[in-house]
Amino acid sequence: VQLQAYGGGLVQAGGSLRLSCAASGSIFSIKAMGWYRQAPGKQRELVAGITSFNSTNYADSVKGRFTISGDNAKKTVSLQMNSLKPEDTAVYYCAAAPTIIRLRIGAIEYWGQGTLVTVSS
């Protein structure tokens, strides 16, 4: 399985960006997808996740600003990021796992390449 991520870039505080990710290969085992991020000097953290039944969860720091969506049949996931803040600056990673529990605890089966999001103040 390969995860290909798109999007990211530089945006001013208060702006918006959209990240997208598509899985290819033997994708039948994937039941949860999401986005992690890692800021300089910090641990990688789960930003948002979505299950094959479209159940979603978010980190408290992004609730109300970020929206995750997905297409279970195509194994794609997107993250709409609004009202971005400088503290959202990080490398964002698409992730996929067989269950939402594994996604949440970081037991990730597949990682995409990171994409840099920079929010200027």
Side-chain angles (χ1 to χ4, degrees):
V1 175
Q2 289 188 329
L3 301 181
Q4 181 66 50
Y6 305 89
L10 174 65
V11 65
Q12 289 188 331
S16 299
L17 282 174
R18 184 176 182 87
L19 305 180
S20 297
C21 176
S24 61
S26 300
I27 62 177
F28 63 90
S29 64
I30 296 174
K31 297 296 188 290
M33 297 183 72
W35 294 91
Y36 274 74
R37 69 184 180 187
Q38 187 167 20
K42 295 188 177 181
Q43 288 189 332
R44 193 173 294 190
E45 64 173 351
L46 178 62
V47 177
I50 187 168
T51 71
S52 56
F53 298 102
N54 286 327
S55 175
T56 60
N57 65 280
Y58 297 91
D60 288 343
S61 59
V62 306
K63 284 181 180 177
R65 300 188 298 120
F66 290 11
T67 302
I68 190 169
S69 59
D71 184 323
N72 181 58
K74 297 180 179 179
K75 292 296 187 279
T76 60
V77 63
S78 295
L79 185 67
Q80 179 65 40
M81 305 183 292
N82 298 328
S83 302
L84 283 160
K85 304 176 181 180
E87 50 264 43
D88 294 317
T89 295
V91 177
Y92 285 70
Y93 297 89
C94 179
T99 69
I100 188 64
I101 292 177
R102 290 179 64 89
L103 186 76
R104 287 178 180 175
I105 66 173
I108 304 301
E109 296 287 307
Y110 309 106
W111 290 102
Q113 85 283 9
T115 183
L116 179 62
V117 172
T118 303
V119 184
S120 62
S121 57

